[in-house]
Amino acid sequence: MNGEVVNSERRNKTVIFIMGAGHSGTTLLGLMLGAHPAVCFAGEAWNSTRLSTTDAQGRTVGCNFCTEGCPVWGDPLPSTGPDLYEVLARRCGRPFVVDSTKAVGWIDQQTALVPGAVHRHLVVLARDGRAVVNSLLRKYPDARPAELAAEWVAQMRRTEDLAARWPGTVSRVHYEDIATHPEDVLSHLSATLGFSFLPAMLDPWLSVQHPLGGNAGTQYIVARERAARAPGRPVDLKRTERAYYLGHPPAIVLDLRWREEMSEPALRAFDAIAGETNAPYAR
């Protein structure tokens, strides 16, 4: 903590925001970027505002993988002094910080706090909206497809509006491309963000990272692989996802379950509400 106050030289040089709809692969992409030794993946960093509180599942909000004494989130965040991303860069010893929070208000607030010399990158991560809605229906089986489709449309419009006014660099990535051509996507994205691609980014499952929030399924694979070496904080899975992720290999696998699982009425409801919006993202 003393280094955050005493050393005035800024260590955080770049902040990277991953924006899009939930269930689009933001956690996967963040972990892949965070496997690079120059990158700190914070996860959904807005959760830093409620550290040590209890979430809706009764879990204490904190690092997804550390049981206690997390080197990134274990100490209280300073109420004054460096901005969040500078604190994270100092604690991680890495100049690039990735935030996968998807709330525009949070992103606007945080970008206003960092000095103008800090590079700001926005990564728009898209996924076929039908896959997103199907994933949500699996998680919330009583939800109405039409309402989920409308929420997805609203989030993608917020994402595109943010991209249109973004003051820095905007990159566009598709989940389906990450899953099928990960090295090509990561090589191009890394060059745009300002660091060199490393093969370790294709195998984030054994990397030591400390994200907040995000997709439990993806993080379960990381926790499972790391548990083979040392015990850590368990990642809870909902019953509807348990079978899929229990047998999921430590690899990037294209998830197209929506093609078999999504009912015709759900597909019709989605197309009526979100078909036009989904056209640029459909795969």
Side-chain angles (χ1 to χ4, degrees), residues 1 4 72 77-78 82-92:
M1 292 296 294
E4 296 166 10
V72 176
L77 295 171
D83 57 82
L84 174 63
Y85 305 113
E86 174 63 4
V87 172
L88 294 177
R90 294 183 181 190
R91 292 185 179 183
C92 294

Side-chain angles (χ1 to χ4, degrees), residues 83-257:
D83 57 82
L84 174 63
Y85 305 113
E86 174 63 4
V87 172
L88 294 177
R90 294 183 181 190
R91 292 185 179 183
C92 294
R94 303 180 178 199
F96 296 84
V97 179
V98 178
D99 184 348
S100 61
T101 302
K102 302 167 191 68
V104 173
W106 168 266
I107 295 174
D108 283 338
Q109 178 189 65
Q110 298 307 307
T111 54
L113 293 175
V114 300
V118 175
H119 298 293
R120 299 163 173 84
H121 291 271
L122 180 68
V123 177
V124 175
L125 180 56
R127 186 183 186 185
D128 192 312
R130 292 166 292 188
V132 174
V133 169
N134 184 66
S135 181
L136 289 168
L137 285 170
R138 195 183 308 113
K139 187 175 182 179
Y140 307 109
D142 296 330
R144 293 167 56 89
E147 293 177 355
L148 296 177
E151 291 173 5
W152 176 81
V153 168
Q155 178 64 9
M156 294 313 297
R157 286 177 177 169
R158 288 191 290 267
T159 299
E160 295 296 351
D161 288 345
L162 180 65
R165 61 180 175 82
W166 189 252
T169 304
V170 178
S171 297
R172 294 182 176 275
V173 178
H174 281 261
Y175 156 79
E176 291 85 354
D177 292 337
I178 294 174
T180 53
H181 305 289
E183 183 169 351
D184 291 343
V185 172
L186 266 294
S187 296
H188 178 75
L189 182 59
S190 298
T192 301
L193 297 177
F195 50 86
S196 299
F197 166 78
L198 295 177
M201 299 167 68
L202 302 177
D203 185 23
W205 316 112
L206 290 179
S207 61
V208 177
Q209 303 193 49
H210 305 278
L212 300 176
N215 182 272
T218 302
Q219 293 179 124
Y220 168 80
I221 302 171
V222 176
R224 184 190 68 197
E225 297 304 308
R226 286 175 58 175
R229 297 182 301 169
R233 176 171 172 167
V235 175
D236 293 333
L237 288 178
K238 287 187 175 293
R239 180 185 55 80
T240 52
E241 294 285 11
R242 206 164 287 153
Y244 180 77
Y245 283 103
L246 283 175
H248 199 294
I252 302 164
V253 178
L254 179 63
D255 183 356
L256 295 176
R257 285 179 286 173

